[in-house]
Amino acid sequence: MKKLPMIVAIVVSIFSAQGTLAQDELVENDGFELRSYEYEQQEYAEIRAYELPMSVQNSAIKDFENLRTYKAYISKDNTYKIVLKDKDNYTKVVFASANGEWIKPNDKS
């Protein structure tokens, strides 16, 4: 009877280790690409707000007059990700083309 707690601990640790290995295999072999916030950031390179094209800056001023550009990013295909904030730290993220047109999340162009 003295060895029973030790046997239970060993059995539990074996099952725990197998569960972890099975989860790792599922993640590696499910065929889906895992995308994290870091991966999304790699698609866009940060730029200074004044480096945005004037058409994008003018659209932001016109359409979001109560918000200011907090951060700006550019992608390889010359689309822009703009983080806007107001004085109460309300944050809005918008995407724009180089000619200042807003890109909606479901747009495929």
Side-chain angles (χ1 to χ4, degrees):
M1 291 304 283
K2 293 180 181 178
K3 295 182 182 180
L4 184 61
M6 183 63 121
I7 293 172
V8 170
I10 292 171
V11 170
V12 168
S13 65
I14 290 172
F15 284 117
S16 297
Q18 287 179 346
T20 303
L21 291 174
Q23 288 174 355
D24 289 345
E25 289 173 6
L26 285 175
V27 169
E28 292 174 1
N29 297 327
D30 66 359
F32 292 102
E33 178 182 355
L34 297 176
R35 295 179 60 168
S36 66
Y37 182 70
E38 285 183 50
Y39 177 79
E40 292 291 328
Q41 286 296 324
Q42 290 175 3
E43 288 187 12
Y44 288 90
E46 188 169 359
I47 60 174
R48 298 180 190 266
Y50 63 81
E51 294 177 314
L52 288 169
M54 285 305 294
S55 58
V56 176
Q57 290 181 33
N58 291 336
S59 293
I61 290 169
K62 183 181 90 175
D63 296 338
F64 304 104
E65 59 188 36
N66 295 330
L67 303 174
R68 64 178 176 83
T69 302
Y70 179 68
K71 289 189 177 186
Y73 303 88
I74 187 170
S75 71
K76 293 176 186 173
D77 63 353
N78 286 334
T79 58
Y80 297 90
K81 175 181 177 181
I82 306 158
V83 180
L84 304 164
K85 280 192 173 186
D86 70 1
K87 62 182 178 181
D88 298 325
N89 279 334
Y90 166 76
T91 303
K92 181 173 184 70
V93 177
V94 294
F95 296 86
S97 64
N99 60 1
E101 294 178 4
W102 299 118
I103 301 171
K104 295 181 182 162
N106 56 359
D107 283 353
K108 293 184 181 183
S109 55

